[in-house]
Amino acid sequence: MNKKEIIVSGIQPTGNLHIGNYLGAVKKWVELQNSGKYEMYIFIADLHALTGKMTADELRTQINKTCAELLAAGIDPKKTTFFVQSHIQEHAELAWIFNCVTPINELERMTQYKDKVAQFKNATAGLFTYPILQAADILLYHGDLVPVGQDQIQHVELTRDTARWFNNKYEQYFPETKHLLTPTPKIMSLLEPNKKMSKSLGQDHVIELSDEPEIIENKIKKAVTATEGGGVAPGVANLLVLIKEFGDQKTYEKFIQMEKDKTIRYGDLKKELGEAVGKYFSNFRTERAKLLRDEKKLTKIMSVGTKKAKKVAEKTMIDIRKIIGLK
Ligand code: TYM
């Protein structure tokens, strides 16, 4: 029997899941997991979150919440090795080794790094070497495929390069990792639809999976639809993508037709979309609340995932230490 392809992906515990995370990554993770065709590793990237500004208490709370949210969204720890990155120390160890094969100028090219450095004064070395840790996350488990949103493509390409740099310097060991996109790899902000939906823009720019229906409807009501120049305005295009994903096919086709005929009323689109999103995540909200009341269960699930991931990570590092001359 052929070996199953290995899928690895992660998410930072920096806030509640939003529909950008969901449509760009998490929904796909659940589909891939349920197909039974892959060996799956999904983790909470808490070490990456240290490059941000959270306090220790905020981070602790958010790791727990992200865990509950991913489970509520459909990650099944029986089918997926689901764990917290920092529980497996091998991530940091492999990252150091990759530091020593990665040219500085390749890191300087990373757009996410350049954006962050432009935003923050006194940017840390963590922001700079962030993609190296990401390469370690993926290659520690020999990841073939990495399902991510569009903003992470460059980091997955760097992972592929890292594997080559390592393989060329030492010996053929790591696979050539590829990214995997959803049909919706870049969901836009509700208020600034020329920017990627992101929590860092502010609460009203994003819809969180846990938002109550009234909140969702209100946020969508305020979404920008104004047209600049010809064609479909980016804000409208974004809302149409969302109704396609969260509404039924007929409703979507109805609005597409009306947009073409120019008979569309954005108020109607927003109303139907708001209701559809609220309904879509109704089970998620219930499940999330239940899990958050059961911290013991969350801890247990994470410790089982850690054990499974640890076995693979330890084996990789035994190989690596030999290959590079540390043993
Ligand atoms: P993070 O935590 O920013 O986002 C998690 C996933 O959500 C996707 N995403 C989006 N997709 C579509 N539209 C959006 N507006 C949107 N916003 C976010 C992201 O592309 C991502 O797939 N560096 C990673 C975490 C990470 C990782 C890894 C991922 C660490 N190690 C190894 C894959 C493999 C990050 O910060 O994602």
Side-chain angles (χ1 to χ4, degrees), residues 176-229:
E176 296 234 330
T177 308
K178 294 192 196 72
H179 64 261
L180 205 63
L181 294 182
T182 66
T184 49
K186 191 175 185 185
I187 299 298
M188 309 312 275
S189 146
L190 297 178
L191 296 183
E192 289 178 72
N194 52 344
K195 292 189 182 154
K196 169 187 88 164
M197 179 177 282
S198 160
K199 258 296 249 312
S200 60
L201 296 172
Q203 277 296 344
D204 283 349
H205 291 250
V206 305
I207 297 172
E208 294 181 353
L209 275 51
S210 60
D211 279 343
E212 290 299 330
E214 313 82 76
I215 305 258
I216 296 175
E217 285 167 33
N218 262 325
K219 285 182 178 176
I220 293 181
K221 220 183 259 171
K222 286 188 272 180
V224 169
T225 50
T227 320
E228 279 172 39

Side-chain angles (χ1 to χ4, degrees), residues 8-12 14 18 20-21 23-25 29 43 45 48 85 112 130 134 137-138 146-152 155 184-188 196-198:
V8 182
S9 201
I11 185 162
Q12 291 197 64
T14 39
H18 59 69
N21 301 132
L23 294 178
W29 298 349
F43 62 91
H48 279 107
Q85 180 189 33
Q112 192 160 309
Y130 180 110
Q134 187 158 345
D137 297 337
I138 296 166
V146 183
V148 284
Q150 188 162 295
D151 61 322
Q152 295 299 318
H155 288 162
T184 49
K186 191 175 185 185
I187 299 298
M188 309 312 275
K196 169 187 88 164
M197 179 177 282
S198 160

